[in-house]
Amino acid sequence: MAHVLGQNQYGKAETRVVRIYRDSTRHEIKDLNVSVALSGDLDDVHLTGSNAHCLPTDTTKNTVYAFAKEHGIESAEAFGVHLARHFVDNNEPIHRARIRIEEYAWDRIRTPDNSARFIGSEEVGHSFVRSGGEIRTAQITYDGDSFQVISGLKELTVMNSTNSEFWGYIKDKYTTLKEAYDRVLATEVTARWAHSWSGAGDQPNWERSYTHVRRHLLEAFAETYSYSLQQTLHAMGSRVLNNRAEVDEVRLELPNKHHFLVDLEPFGLKNNNEVYFAADRPYGLIEGTVHREGVVPVIPVA
Ligand SMILES: O=c1[nH]c(=O)c2[nH]c(=O)[nH]c2[nH]1
């Protein structure tokens, strides 16, 4: 019985590229993990043994490094747009490119030492410490006609130590959860947001856009008096759409990082919402998309 070759794609995954800008003594760093996935007229590669349509994954890796030198890395998104356009526009059998990028942030190390090799304001121009915070993500897809850019972040852990309640839910014979009128709300945010830019006109200022979207996500989390993580999710997505015209859709994955009050009665102590057991699993997983009216959501539901 003949089998059908279904969707397929290939490319070098997780090319780690670090680009250092040495234009002054205050160096700049871009640290990316780039995964290329190409698809197109690739039946023969799978079916006949002919590699005539196959651009080697090794070449896609080399292209990442060469572009880091030749074009620089202005932002993860701009770099991905560049790569995607290159692979599709220059290789006839390749009809679609999907570039996934993770970006790791570095902070500058500051020191009180004022010796000559330091560049003022206690900042060391060439010394960095990897930021402990979130990982920035980007996915750029190009089909020869238009681009789709989905920016994002993951591992952004946040907590509200009050202003969160959860009550009034369905109760059945298996329900043991006590209604909460003042609880800890903590989550590790995974967010992705789709841009309206699809190739025409200038690209958005991706760095600026990212900074503001991140800020709005955090501000909405902090400012929402929450009756559920679902409500907080909607507030976070809405706030981004209300404030960032370049974004059409926001998808959030919010694990509820439960903080359970520890029973201190056995020790003769009263727990006034002060001592918690931070459980790591299982966790409630709250996921949802908020998008503009009339926009067809494009962010895949993972
Ligand atoms: O914000 C919450 N949403 C839920 O759906 C839920 N379910 C649960 O047990 N705790 C919570 N908290």
Side-chain angles (χ1 to χ4, degrees), residues 41-85:
D41 184 2
L42 296 163
D43 283 6
D44 280 356
V45 182
H46 294 83
L47 303 177
T48 73
S50 165
N51 291 327
H53 287 183
C54 182
L55 181 73
T57 68
D58 190 63
T59 307
T60 69
K61 177 255 300 172
N62 291 344
T63 310
V64 169
Y65 289 127
F67 274 32
K69 165 64 186 172
E70 284 186 296
H71 307 293
I73 302 174
E74 197 182 300
S75 64
E77 288 85 352
F79 193 60
V81 164
H82 223 113
L83 285 166
R85 182 182 278 133

Side-chain angles (χ1 to χ4, degrees), residues 33-275:
N33 188 12
V34 182
S35 294
V36 174
L38 307 177
S39 48
D41 184 2
L42 296 163
D43 283 6
D44 280 356
V45 182
H46 294 83
L47 303 177
T48 73
S50 165
N51 291 327
H53 287 183
C54 182
L55 181 73
T57 68
D58 190 63
T59 307
T60 69
K61 177 255 300 172
N62 291 344
T63 310
V64 169
Y65 289 127
F67 274 32
K69 165 64 186 172
E70 284 186 296
H71 307 293
I73 302 174
E74 197 182 300
S75 64
E77 288 85 352
F79 193 60
V81 164
H82 223 113
L83 285 166
R85 182 182 278 133
H86 166 83
F87 290 127
V88 175
D89 288 356
N90 293 291
N91 298 284
E92 209 271 322
I94 304 301
H95 302 159
R96 181 178 182 273
R98 187 201 70 198
I99 314 294
R100 284 187 173 159
I101 299 176
E102 291 190 349
E103 177 171 355
Y104 312 113
W106 292 81
D107 295 326
R108 290 179 190 281
I109 297 179
R110 290 166 184 276
T111 154
D113 192 325
N114 263 336
S115 67
R117 66 205 162 89
F118 300 115
I119 58 170
S121 69
E122 300 177 343
E123 211 177 64
V124 186
H126 59 268
S127 299
F128 301 85
V129 54
R130 176 106 159 235
S131 308
E134 74 279 7
I135 294 170
R136 181 170 163 178
T137 62
Q139 175 177 292
I140 299 89
T141 317
Y142 177 57
D143 63 3
D145 284 328
S146 62
F147 288 89
Q148 181 191 84
V149 179
I150 298 172
S151 301
L153 55 78
K154 60 183 186 179
E155 298 178 22
L156 180 69
T157 303
V158 290
M159 174 193 283
N160 282 327
S161 54
T162 187
N163 287 4
S164 168
E165 306 186 17
F166 187 65
W167 48 267
Y169 41 79
I170 296 170
K171 294 171 192 82
D172 68 13
K173 66 179 179 176
Y174 302 115
T175 304
T176 57
L177 185 73
K178 294 220 164 34
E179 298 199 320
Y181 298 92
D182 186 5
R183 67 172 184 172
V184 167
L185 187 68
T187 186
E188 184 186 303
V189 179
T190 298
R192 288 172 290 164
W193 52 95
H195 295 270
S196 56
W197 182 82
S198 63
D202 289 343
Q203 294 180 40
N205 182 333
W206 304 111
E207 299 295 87
R208 197 178 140 74
S209 177
Y210 178 85
T211 302
H212 285 288
V213 171
R214 179 185 185 280
R215 176 171 63 78
H216 287 300
L217 290 170
L218 289 177
E219 288 178 3
F221 179 81
E223 290 175 7
T224 301
Y225 190 104
S226 176
Y227 292 92
S228 68
L229 192 48
Q230 289 89 329
Q231 188 198 17
T232 296
L233 179 152
H234 183 259
M236 292 168 78
S238 294
R239 180 155 174 148
V240 172
L241 294 178
N242 283 339
N243 289 282
R244 301 308 305 174
E246 73 276 20
V247 176
D248 271 349
E249 174 191 353
V250 182
R251 178 141 186 106
L252 290 158
E253 289 155 37
L254 303 179
N256 193 349
K257 294 175 76 72
H258 301 298
H259 285 65
F260 296 115
L261 272 177
V262 177
D263 179 8
L264 300 176
E265 295 284 339
F267 322 124
L269 299 170
K270 193 158 168 33
N271 193 347
N272 294 317
N273 273 3
E274 291 165 311
V275 180

